[in-house]
Amino acid sequence: MEPAPAKLRAALERLPLDRLRVLEPASGPGLYLGHFGPGSRGLDRSAEVVAASAGRLPADRDLAVEQADLDQPGWALPYRDFEAAWVCDVLCHVRDPRAFLAELRACLQPGAPLVVVEWTLPASGALVGLRDALARGVPHAKDILHEPEHLRVLRADELESLVGDLGFELTARRLHSFHGKPLERLAASLTRPFWPVRTWYFRRPG
């Protein structure tokens, strides 16, 4: 199995996702799913992706990617009592993020953590133009923020309000992680106060 990506390693430092039954909507073939606890499920709308996942997931931990269309009402009905959810770059793709989150909430046990990883722009406020320019200058961000398949790019405060409105409690934030060449990482670290959040930790109230 491939090593956990950096954003997941950071989450594992905070939450025992490797021991929890995690639901991962829009999982793709299982890059993250293989690092979650037994009984975890990934969801993807593509039958080809579901088929490709079969050979890459550990066979002894009851992990699977199943086909589901997150834009269809009722997609969440077969999925209940999950101990956590990992939502990575999903809100930019679904047609109705509010409807998606409402369905997701029904999948989680009371008290379950929700980890949201999303490329966002900084919250509105002073120097917002400069902050937007810096956010778009993060290595790899330019291509991601202008990806044609993305239906929206939320601001950090918009994302927090959206998830909060669906009854989730915000427990922590994590800024962007910086990749790229050494000079790029140095420049990014020096301007760190300007970067938007990359990862949010929420909790479904008990």
Side-chain angles (χ1 to χ4, degrees):
M1 187 170 62
E2 301 175 17
K7 61 179 73 71
L8 178 54
R9 292 199 303 271
L12 287 168
E13 293 174 3
R14 177 177 292 273
L15 296 169
L17 297 176
D18 54 338
R19 300 196 300 274
L20 298 178
R21 184 169 172 260
V22 179
L23 183 64
E24 183 189 358
S27 64
L31 177 64
Y32 301 106
L33 184 64
H35 299 277
F36 299 146
S40 294
R41 289 291 181 270
L43 305 176
D44 199 280
R45 73 179 64 196
S46 167
E48 290 78 11
V49 169
V50 172
S53 70
R56 66 180 301 166
L57 296 171
D60 59 345
R61 292 169 50 213
D62 185 25
L63 303 175
V65 177
E66 299 177 355
Q67 191 170 7
D69 186 343
L70 304 178
D71 287 326
Q72 291 297 317
W75 66 262
L77 288 174
Y79 305 100
R80 290 293 186 267
D81 295 322
F82 280 83
E83 298 170 322
W86 173 264
V87 178
C88 184
D89 296 328
V90 178
L91 301 181
C92 58
H93 285 108
V94 293
R95 287 201 299 263
D96 186 342
R98 185 175 296 274
F100 162 75
L101 289 167
E103 297 245 17
L104 180 65
R105 189 179 191 276
C107 300
L108 298 176
Q109 296 179 358
L114 163 65
V115 184
V116 178
V117 184
E118 190 86 6
W119 285 94
T120 63
L121 292 172
S124 300
L127 301 177
V128 68
L130 175 59
R131 291 167 66 96
D132 279 3
L134 288 170
R136 295 177 188 277
V138 175
H140 312 303
K142 183 176 180 181
D143 291 339
I144 292 172
L145 291 172
H146 294 281
E147 168 59 49
E149 292 185 0
H150 291 180
L151 302 180
R152 70 190 59 78
V153 178
L154 296 170
R155 293 192 177 278
D157 53 340
E158 291 176 329
L159 186 149
E160 292 183 14
S161 295
L162 174 65
V163 182
D165 287 347
L166 271 297
F168 291 95
E169 298 175 350
L170 178 64
T171 59
R173 304 177 181 90
R174 183 180 178 87
L175 295 176
H176 281 276
S177 56
F178 303 121
H179 307 285
K181 299 176 182 178
L183 286 179
E184 291 176 331
R185 293 199 302 270
L186 175 61
S189 65
L190 291 175
T191 54
R192 189 179 183 92
F194 289 95
W195 300 130
V197 178
R198 174 66 166 139
T199 303
W200 287 260
Y201 298 88
F202 295 93
R203 173 182 172 273
R204 179 184 170 177

